[in-house]
Structure formats: structure tokens, C-alpha cells
């Protein structure tokens, strides 16, 4: 079945630095991908819709200059957390629609900012 | 925009009993309502979904009901087992390929 892969699964970075998370659709093309953030013991909150070849659509309250999204190909979307702060520490997870019009989630990426 | 509320936030049941989780949504344009089970630190796993043209759907011990007029849908798990223990999320979407708006989650504990 369709698979969505995220990398890295875990990352630790220092405050003030930037970190990139990749989301790949392995056996299908995804013109649209979605990025979610999940704080411990909370729900998945939609951050943005990643559109191949065009600008991402951000949800209200999500800073587009802090969370840079690039969807340069039909199989890859990247989320870059810029100038990371400890409060950005969270579980970030992407999703994409694959064959059979089914939503597939990546494995998620744990970000810890120290 | 869409807003999804979910109740209860925690639910404890005895093995073999039934569990019911309820969600309400606000956007009448939503037509797709999936339910996910999530283990700690892992991706959500789709357990059942329902579309707005259907009022009820069942898959073995799991069933989902939808009342589109009242804008609420429910997850029913019968004959619960300890391995059913997890966090469950409802979600709503315009289509089954669109962005998902998740409920707040329910932590289900099934005691042997």
C-alpha cells in the first residue's frame, strides 16, 4: 500500500537554530500534503497545507516565516522550523492522499529544542 | 472554519464492556468523518470512517454512527479488550483527501 515516510524520526537542536523535516510519498505522487503538530497529550493540530509548485496555505495562528514549507516535487514536502525555541518542541507529522483516495500519515518526527 | 469537539476525554471500562466516544462538528460542509487510534509517539491508525451519505457503518467490534442533521458522530466499541487501550481521535473533513480537523482525543483504558 501507499507509504508516507518522514525523516528524521527524532531530532535535537539548539535554540536559535533551524531544523528541517522531510515528508516523502514513496510510491505515489502527492500534489497536496498536510503538516500537523501534536504536543504531548494533546490532539493533532493542522499547521498548513503544502501544495506542490505553489505556496503553502497556513492555518490561523501559524507563523509562515517560522515554519517554512517547501513542496518542490510531487513526492517531497519539507517543513523547516526556523529560529527554534524550546516551545517548538513537539511531534510533527505529515499526511498525504494516496491511491484509493486514502489519507496516509508519516511516522512523525519528534523535535526537541534545548 | 471547522471545529470538532470530542467527549469524554478519558474513558475507563472493564474488559468485555462497550465504549462510546462522541464528537460534534460545526461545518455543515464536512462530509468525511474518520476515527483514528494512536499509540504514544506513533502515527494515527485509521480504524473506521464514515461518509455523509451513510448513517451507520460497522466493522466487527467497531461501529460508527453519523447524525448529519445534528452534526454529531459516535464511535462504538463492543466487547472491549485490553489491547483497545489507546488514544482515539475523531476528525472531520470536506472530502476524504482533504485536510483533517481533529477532535481533542479520548484516552480509553480497558481493564482486564
Amino acid at each position: 500500500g501507499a507509504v508516507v515516510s518522514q525523516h528524521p524520526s527524532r531530532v535535537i537542536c539548539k535554540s536559535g537554530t533551524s531544523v528541517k523535516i522531510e515528508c516523502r510519498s514513496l510510491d505515489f505522487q502527492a500534489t497536496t500534503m498536510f503538516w500537523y503538530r501534536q504536543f504531548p497529550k494533546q490532539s493533532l493540530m493542522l499547521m498548513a497545507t503544502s501544495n506542490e509548485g505553489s505556496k503553502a496555505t497556513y492555518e490561523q495562528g501559524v507563523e509562515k516565516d517560522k515554519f517554512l514549507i517547501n513542496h518542490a516535487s510531487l513526492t517531497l514536502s519539507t517543513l523547516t522550523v526556523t529560529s527554534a525555541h524550546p516551545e517548538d518542541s513537539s511531534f510533527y507529522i505529515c499526511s498525504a492522499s494516496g491511491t484509493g483516495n486514502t489519507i496516509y500519515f508519516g511516522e512523525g518526527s519528534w523535535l526537541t529544542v534545548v | 472554519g471547522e471545529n470538532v469537539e470530542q467527549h469524554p476525554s478519558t474513558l475507563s471500562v472493564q474488559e468485555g464492556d462497550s465504549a462510546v466516544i462522541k464528537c460534534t462538528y460545526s461545518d455543515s460542509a464536512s462530509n468525511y468523518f474518520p476515527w483514528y487510534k494512536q499509540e504514544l509517539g506513533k502515527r494515527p491508525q485509521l480504524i473506521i470512517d464514515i461518509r455523509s451519505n451513510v448513517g451507520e457503518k460497522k466493522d466487527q467490534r467497531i461501529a460508527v454512527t453519523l447524525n448529519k442533521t445534528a452534526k454529531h458522530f459516535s464511535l462504538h466499541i463492543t466487547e472491549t479488550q485490553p489491547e483497545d487501550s489507546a488514544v482515539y481521535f475523531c476528525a472531520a473533513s470536506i472530502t476524504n483527501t482533504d485536510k483533517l480537523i481533529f477532535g481533542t482525543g479520548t484516552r480509553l483504558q480497558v481493564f482486564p
Side-chain angles (χ1 to χ4, degrees):
Chain A
V3 176
V4 173
S5 178
Q6 264 183 259
H7 178 81
S9 58
R10 291 181 178 274
V11 58
I12 300 173
C13 71
K14 292 183 177 181
S15 290
T17 62
S18 297
V19 60
K20 182 186 290 187
I21 301 170
E22 295 184 346
C23 179
R24 292 183 185 273
S25 56
L26 298 184
D27 55 0
F28 65 97
Q29 294 181 333
T31 56
T32 304
M33 292 183 176
F34 304 97
W35 286 96
Y36 299 83
R37 178 170 56 183
Q38 185 176 31
F39 292 112
K41 297 187 177 182
Q42 293 189 24
S43 184
L44 292 87
M45 299 299 297
L46 178 68
M47 299 177 67
T49 301
S50 174
N51 304 298
E52 187 268 335
S54 64
K55 293 182 179 180
T57 305
Y58 290 83
E59 295 299 304
Q60 191 173 9
V62 178
E63 300 175 56
K64 63 179 182 180
D65 294 329
K66 179 171 181 61
F67 298 100
L68 301 179
I69 292 174
N70 188 338
H71 196 152
S73 78
L74 287 170
T75 58
L76 174 64
S77 175
T78 60
L79 169 67
T80 301
V81 183
T82 63
S83 188
H85 290 279
E87 52 265 35
D88 297 326
S89 298
S90 185
F91 186 59
Y92 292 86
I93 190 164
C94 66
S95 73
S97 296
T99 53
N101 289 327
T102 302
I103 296 171
Y104 296 92
F105 283 91
E107 306 98 323
S109 300
W110 285 100
L111 169 63
T112 302
V113 184
V114 297
Chain B
E2 177 65 277
N3 182 51
V4 180
E5 295 187 357
Q6 183 172 344
H7 299 280
S9 56
T10 60
L11 179 60
S12 296
V13 300
Q14 205 73 31
E15 182 178 2
D17 289 348
S18 296
V20 179
I21 303 171
K22 298 182 179 182
C23 287
T24 61
Y25 62 99
S26 61
D27 191 347
S28 57
S30 290
N31 286 301
Y32 176 64
F33 308 94
W35 285 89
Y36 290 90
K37 177 182 180 181
Q38 188 182 31
E39 309 284 346
L40 182 64
K42 299 196 174 177
R43 74 182 96 194
Q45 298 285 342
L46 177 69
I47 58 172
I48 196 167
D49 58 11
I50 192 167
R51 289 169 173 77
S52 60
N53 58 345
V54 176
E56 184 174 355
K57 184 177 178 180
K58 189 174 181 180
D59 182 5
Q60 298 182 6
R61 296 187 297 111
I62 296 172
V64 57
T65 59
L66 170 65
N67 184 327
K68 197 160 170 59
T69 302
K71 296 195 188 74
H72 65 71
F73 55 112
S74 301
L75 176 71
H76 304 253
I77 305 175
T78 59
E79 300 172 29
T80 54
Q81 301 166 2
E83 49 266 38
D84 293 330
S85 297
V87 179
Y88 291 81
F89 291 99
C90 63
S93 179
I94 304 296
T95 70
N96 60 339
T97 58
D98 204 350
K99 60 184 181 183
L100 291 168
I101 304 301
F102 285 87
T104 48
T106 297
R107 181 171 298 278
L108 172 65
Q109 289 185 301
V110 181
F111 293 98

